[in-house]
Amino acid sequence: MAAIVFAARNGEAQIIYGSFAAPSNVRGALYPRIYPDYGVVFKIEGPRAKKVQLQFLSDAKPYDMTQNADSSWSVTTPPLVPGFHYYSILIDGFAVNDPNSETYFGNNKQMSGLEIPENGVDYYSVKNVPHGEVHEHWYYSKITGKWRRAYVYTPPLYESNNNKRYPVLYLQHGSGEDERGWTKQGHANFILDNQIAAGSAVPMIVVMDRGYAQVGDKPLPTTRLQGIKEFEAVFINEIIPQIDASYRTIADRDHRAMAGLSMGGGQTFYITMNHLDLFSYIGVFSGGGLADFHADTAYHSVFKDSQAFNKKVKALFFSAGTSEPAYLNATKEIHRQLDQAGIKNIFFESPGTSHEWLNWRRALNNFLPALFK
Amino acid sequence: MAAIVFAARNGEAQIIYGSFAAPSNVRGALYPRIYPDYGVVFKIEGPRAKKVQLQFLSDAKPYDMTQNADSSWSVTTPPLVPGFHYYSILIDGFAVNDPNSETYFGNNKQMSGLEIPENGVDYYSVKNVPHGEVHEHWYYSKITGKWRRAYVYTPPLYESNNNKRYPVLYLQHGSGEDERGWTKQGHANFILDNQIAAGSAVPMIVVMDRGYAQVGDKPLPTTRLQGIKEFEAVFINEIIPQIDASYRTIADRDHRAMAGLSMGGGQTFYITMNHLDLFSYIGVFSGGGLADFHADTAYHSVFKDSQAFNKKVKALFFSAGTSEPAYLNATKEIHRQLDQAGIKNIFFESPGTSHEWLNWRRALNNFLPALFK
């Protein structure tokens, strides 16, 4: 944290003591700049426009920016909620990226992002512990006729423990994002490193694959989790076998987990419930497509025989944030029905988070200790 | 390649037969769109401005875009040179990213990029051959007091050949870019995959590290290759030892190479000439800081004893493109002087390429067969 001069926070000249450049900025960019109360100053040099605004993807209304004497534009937001927030700058209504920000794939394009770290919280930070590696893994899908890329986390000592085999967590991103999200926005690799170092998670491989399976040039369906049938086929017949062939996995259901957020949570629930022969640990974070759930009929009535289900599934984990009411309510309702049906399940409620990555970092952090024990 | 309808290429309605969306676009974006003669149509929806222009980073002058009836803006460029071109859209003079483009870290920010594939050329494409893995590798630098990230390519079968050790190529990016450049813009991993499959390159580890070594909050020097002394210290004392500790390298000078482009080429020349005890293969691609070279006095007169030098250095490779005259001339002059001094060296001239990634893909592709044989 740069500590420079006590000054007004108008984004014009000096920088207030205790403020710091957002960690989501590109190297060297002083703005966006976070103040001790989580108010954030944005400053943009250059636009010649009638109106320049700051628009968070999750907000209905933009903040107006004002032009400074040096013709830059700036705005100070009210205190914001910690976490990761996609945003755009509106130049007379046209959404562009903030040149000061790294870019993050979301909403189907490369967007600006603001990371506001949670005060005193470091479970998702890079720390002085042994680090795993994130691999960029390419493979060909015969089903889609395309090359696909997965990001694969291998735990510390994977390279040197030559004969050791590991359990696998398949971890899916949400709609509009891609296989880069869980590490870049989610810091999943650091969450794993820190928990493995602390002994709260067992060393495991984490596969973060692409949640789309577009066959040829056929556009993705816009309904039913963007083509769950095609994705299920790729996932079961191609992703799992090629991961088991490429990494030192323990290739059985007792050592295979699946989790996902939003669309990926919906995909997880669908795929695992239809393939309980393959998975025994399941995480649904702010799951999409969970409405209209009926425990007695859902997924070929898999929840009917609670004793058999509880014997088979080692952990069934649901989560949602208190500031994403639609996801929270749908998730709570499933939790309620499953409890009623005698199906063992865990429900984690994340205080104050909405449909964004801090929510899902917490979900992952709470899910990991339940795995492979 | 989508083949749709024969039509005018005004970017308004229909799409010409044989045109295709640039591979540098985000998934699903139809523009920028490349035509058979390498003319490219750009189309932007939304700006309300007096003037919208297309600005390539390498060009002095922008192209004016014109507003269509549906209020989008478009332009058709004249035929462009194949390769990778950073660009911006100027909204009344303010440079922003094209929402249709992936982003690429260059010029110290995330920029739009246009990839125009070379017709019939596939040495840098993902192909049906065994694939290596690109690892995101984190480590702490005591010298800078910071966490650093390297991208590390391990060759096919690295994971399963448990006891095999490999030679290492250290491969540096240029100024304004970072450790992501060689794989994202350069496709270095696919170039390696393809050559290893063809048997023209031996299986090797490739380390693509960060070419900056900023100590604490001290700004990077703007001269002398942006702080070569600090980078040299980090490179020699931290990067090499931690790579040798983390990967199955053969940790001696006969199995260690270094190469780089532009600033990274200058760093390579400087570091290898000062540490010939550590490297025996050297590649300088469009090297920066090469002017005013004097073979008799350069680098503590290392070129004076040509017999000793030629015995020690297995390959000294230089390259530049014919459309980057300053780099070409400086490189040719070094080549001339070294030839005159009896120093064995290879000079590769890339026809028609300027200071961009196609130039460096070709350089790498020509350098690799000289390594570790």
Side-chain angles (χ1 to χ4, degrees), chain A residues 52-236:
Chain A
V52 178
Q53 295 162 297
L54 163 68
Q55 175 74 65
F56 287 102
L57 185 60
S58 55
D59 286 357
K61 277 186 63 176
Y63 295 96
D64 288 336
M65 301 180 80
T66 54
Q67 195 156 24
N68 302 309
D70 65 358
S71 88
S72 68
W73 296 76
S74 61
V75 65
T76 300
T77 70
L80 299 175
V81 178
F84 182 87
H85 309 292
Y86 291 111
Y87 72 97
S88 302
I89 302 297
L90 303 181
I91 310 285
D92 286 334
F94 178 56
V96 304
N97 287 346
D98 181 348
N100 296 316
S101 175
E102 249 301 328
T103 49
Y104 303 88
F105 196 77
N107 202 23
N108 295 307
K109 60 187 174 183
Q110 286 287 1
M111 293 202 63
S112 297
L114 171 70
E115 172 75 38
I116 305 181
E118 239 187 324
N119 204 354
V121 166
D122 67 354
Y123 68 88
Y124 55 80
S125 302
V126 57
K127 290 200 283 189
N128 190 18
V129 298
H131 291 281
E133 308 255 318
V134 178
H135 306 231
E136 200 178 300
H137 179 72
W138 288 86
Y139 63 97
Y140 187 76
S141 161
K142 287 186 184 160
I143 295 174
T144 64
K146 286 178 187 160
W147 286 94
R148 292 175 62 90
R149 178 176 62 176
Y151 279 69
V152 179
Y153 171 87
T154 53
L157 302 180
Y158 179 87
E159 307 292 344
S160 50
N161 282 354
N162 276 339
N163 298 309
K164 192 168 153 64
R165 305 190 74 91
Y166 296 86
V168 186
L169 164 62
Y170 291 86
L171 188 60
Q172 291 300 128
H173 63 80
S175 173
E177 294 171 338
D178 71 10
E179 65 273 23
R180 296 172 282 195
W182 264 111
T183 49
K184 189 157 183 184
Q185 286 95 308
H187 303 183
N189 48 327
F190 299 137
I191 296 174
L192 266 294
D193 289 342
N194 294 334
Q195 282 218 18
I196 291 169
S200 51
V202 303
M204 66 182 85
I205 294 168
V206 182
V207 177
M208 295 154 281
D209 211 296
R210 193 168 178 74
Y212 313 104
Q214 187 192 10
V215 177
D217 284 336
K218 215 178 109 188
L220 281 176
T222 53
T223 54
R224 285 298 294 148
L225 301 167
Q226 301 196 21
I228 185 68
K229 285 282 177 200
E230 291 83 354
F231 181 67
E232 179 188 24
V234 169
F235 197 87
I236 299 297

Side-chain angles (χ1 to χ4, degrees), chain B residues 301-314:
Chain B
S301 303
V302 72
F303 304 115
K304 271 254 158 109
D305 184 347
S306 61
Q307 227 176 345
F309 188 96
N310 290 339
K311 213 171 155 185
K312 210 159 193 185
V313 175
K314 306 281 167 51

